[in-house]
């Protein structure tokens, strides 16, 4: 199993910044990517950003909605993935979930962290 614990959410004004963290523990063998998803009230959960853990290591992708404002990164020594969120907008308000994908396995999810951006 892989356990994921998110932190760093909160309330911020539009234009501000937040940094989310996701600490992974357990069997990280064969985990090939880690991602951030978000879900706003009444909407489906959607992919925000991904970072590759297996080759191509470090490759990142972003949704069009956050490209240029959010940055995903990883500390391999602590198995922690970060999401630096800048220039936040009210439409970024959502519960943010950490996700890990492991070869031959179902996805693993964290419990989520609330991000609220006030206008």
């Amino acid at each position: 199993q892989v356990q994921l614990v998110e932190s760093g959410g909160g309330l911020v004004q539009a234009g501000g910044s937040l940094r989310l963290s996701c600490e992974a523990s357990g069997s990280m063998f064969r985990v090939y990517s880690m991602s951030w998803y978000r879900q706003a009230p009444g909407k489906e959960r959607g992919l925000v950003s991904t970072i590759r853990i297996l080759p191509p290591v470090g490759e990142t992708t972003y949704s069009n909605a956050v490209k240029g404002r959010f940055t995903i990164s990883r500390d391999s020594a602590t198995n922690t993935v970060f999401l630096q969120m800048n220039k936040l907008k009210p439409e970024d308000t959502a519960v943010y979930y950490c996700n890990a994908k492991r070869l031959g396995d179902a996805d693993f999810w964290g419990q989520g962290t609330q991000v609220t951006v006030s206008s």
Side-chain angles (χ1 to χ4, degrees):
Q1 295 295 312
V2 175
Q3 293 80 41
L4 303 172
V5 179
E6 301 104 332
S7 61
L11 173 65
V12 64
Q13 288 188 332
S17 298
L18 281 174
R19 188 192 197 204
L20 304 184
S21 300
C22 171
E23 184 172 356
S25 60
S27 178
M28 294 295 291
F29 181 64
R30 294 182 297 120
V31 170
Y32 64 89
S33 73
M34 292 186 69
S35 300
W36 288 96
Y37 286 73
R38 68 185 182 185
Q39 187 168 19
K43 295 188 177 181
E44 293 187 355
R45 191 174 299 188
L47 179 62
V48 174
S49 183
T50 297
I51 188 165
R52 290 278 305 189
I53 308 302
L54 293 181
V57 176
E59 182 181 77
T60 59
T61 59
Y62 298 91
S63 70
N64 287 335
V66 307
K67 199 172 294 183
R69 300 188 296 121
F70 290 11
T71 304
I72 192 169
S73 61
R74 176 177 173 250
D75 180 345
S76 58
T78 61
N79 283 326
T80 301
V81 173
F82 304 97
L83 187 68
Q84 178 66 43
M85 306 186 296
N86 299 328
K87 299 179 182 179
L88 283 161
K89 305 175 181 179
E91 51 264 44
D92 295 318
T93 295
V95 178
Y96 284 70
Y97 296 91
C98 184
N99 168 278
K101 289 178 168 48
R102 191 165 68 180
L103 293 171
D105 227 331
D107 288 15
F108 298 93
W109 294 93
Q111 81 286 355
T113 185
Q114 177 71 47
V115 171
T116 302
V117 184
S118 64
S119 57

